[in-house]
Amino acid sequence: MNAVYEKLMKCYESFQKKIHFRPDVALVLGSGLGDHADSIQVEGVLDYSHIEGFPVSTVPGHRGRFVFGYVHDVPVVIMQGRVHYYEGYDISDVVLPIRLMKLMGAKKLFLTNAAGGIGEGFQAGDLMLITGQIGNFVPSPLIGPNMDELGVRFPDMSQIYDEDLRKVILGAAKDLGIPLRQGVYIQLTGPNYESPQEVQMCKILGADAVGMSTACEAIAANHMGMKICGISCISNLACGIADHPLTHKEVQDTADRVAPLFKQLIMESIVRIGKLG
Ligand code: HPA
């Protein structure tokens, strides 16, 4: 058997032994947002370290656990903390949790992240609905023998971020009075932030926000036929657009500041997404 698939199955068996819960929506909480899963009715928690073979994050501020529960009556699994390619993991390990959540039963995936703002008029603290992505600065997680059990060899990528989910999120933001920008997310490897010249490159390529996660996860989820949506928290203006050097602290402080609003939008969106069936 394919080694990547074998590892995934081991993790799935480990999950099945510990948790009996079938989520509809999978939510990934990004940098600094991982502590804000507190408005759900928790039914179970599973530390990544308790799943055999599961990749565990080394980044400070990234907790590592799945939380299972309900947002109103919508069954969700929340990833509090993700692993990143820059930590040195194989890209197949980086997306393993996404694949695992699909096996748990999740049909819809809600991705969040902190990102640097590039788009015209963007400010630190803005929220951006992801409309599309540029992911080919990191290896595709589909490289290697295709896992036919998960999806086809050459998956279509013409609509990664589901139009219906986007409409629902835009509606939720409007009703809550939360301003929501829209734009294209680009994933670079990190861990260094970009040079001003690299940010210019991203801008020329059509990106509005730059980060170090998400796009590879969306590729893996798209491969498995999940419905995907995503929001970036613009935690800072990207290098060269901001007039000061960037620090991880600025990213975390802004994410902390915006988190209550972000959480409100995510939770209301999930309630509505759950009704889509
Ligand atoms: N660049 C890359 N990743 C990021 C940034 C950034 O400016 N901010 C938060 N994550």
Side-chain angles (χ1 to χ4, degrees), residues 31 113-118 185-186 188 190-194 199 209-213 233-239 246-248 251-252:
S31 279
N113 57 54
I118 298 174
Y185 178 91
I186 186 167
L188 302 185
N192 51 290
Y193 292 117
E194 302 69 37
V199 169
V210 56
M212 307 173 193
S213 66
C233 165
I234 304 300
S235 54
N236 57 279
L237 291 182
C239 186
L246 249 177
T247 62
H248 185 52
V251 170
Q252 278 188 317

Side-chain angles (χ1 to χ4, degrees), residues 31-33 113-128 181 185 191-196 199 208-212 232-258 262:
S31 279
L33 306 161
N113 57 54
I118 298 174
E120 218 49 56
F122 277 29
Q123 288 176 353
D126 285 350
L127 299 178
M128 184 192 89
R181 295 187 182 272
Y185 178 91
N192 51 290
Y193 292 117
E194 302 69 37
S195 68
V199 169
D208 298 291
V210 56
M212 307 173 193
S232 292
C233 165
I234 304 300
S235 54
N236 57 279
L237 291 182
C239 186
I241 294 182
D243 56 4
H244 55 274
L246 249 177
T247 62
H248 185 52
K249 183 171 185 320
E250 177 184 348
V251 170
Q252 278 188 317
D253 286 351
T254 311
D256 281 347
R257 174 165 65 80
V258 182
F262 201 176

Side-chain angles (χ1 to χ4, degrees), residues 70-267:
Y70 291 91
V71 177
H72 287 232
D73 55 354
V74 184
V76 296
V77 52
I78 301 181
M79 261 184 84
Q80 282 188 313
R82 50 155 67 93
V83 295
H84 296 82
Y85 186 54
Y86 62 73
E87 292 176 69
Y89 292 103
D90 194 278
I91 198 80
S92 63
D93 278 336
V94 175
V95 303
L96 184 147
I98 304 292
R99 288 174 166 153
L100 184 55
M101 292 193 293
K102 172 66 166 40
L103 294 183
M104 290 175 189
K107 296 185 291 297
K108 301 154 194 155
L109 176 65
F110 200 136
L111 295 165
T112 71
N113 57 54
I118 298 174
E120 218 49 56
F122 277 29
Q123 288 176 353
D126 285 350
L127 299 178
M128 184 192 89
L129 180 67
I130 304 175
T131 56
Q133 71 177 36
I134 299 169
N136 51 354
F137 284 85
V138 294
S140 168
L142 308 186
I143 290 173
N146 186 54
M147 293 175 279
D148 297 332
E149 299 86 346
L150 304 185
V152 297
R153 171 77 290 187
F154 300 109
D156 173 63
M157 293 272 282
S158 54
Q159 219 216 48
I160 306 172
Y161 294 90
D162 186 79
E163 202 172 341
D164 294 335
L165 298 190
R166 279 194 275 147
K167 274 191 196 143
V168 165
I169 295 171
L170 285 170
K174 188 161 178 260
D175 293 347
L176 293 170
I178 297 174
L180 185 59
R181 295 187 182 272
Q182 298 187 61
V184 172
Y185 178 91
I186 186 167
Q187 177 177 6
L188 302 185
T189 63
N192 51 290
Y193 292 117
E194 302 69 37
S195 68
Q197 294 74 27
E198 286 160 349
V199 169
Q200 278 309 307
M201 173 194 75
C202 294
K203 190 171 180 156
I204 290 165
L205 292 179
D208 298 291
V210 56
M212 307 173 193
S213 66
T214 301
C216 60
E217 297 166 345
I219 292 172
N222 182 67
H223 180 230
M224 292 180 292
M226 294 178 91
K227 286 193 172 197
I228 305 162
C229 59
I231 303 180
S232 292
C233 165
I234 304 300
S235 54
N236 57 279
L237 291 182
C239 186
I241 294 182
D243 56 4
H244 55 274
L246 249 177
T247 62
H248 185 52
K249 183 171 185 320
E250 177 184 348
V251 170
Q252 278 188 317
D253 286 351
T254 311
D256 281 347
R257 174 165 65 80
V258 182
L261 218 61
F262 201 176
K263 187 177 77 176
Q264 203 190 353
L265 177 56
I266 292 167
M267 293 305 154

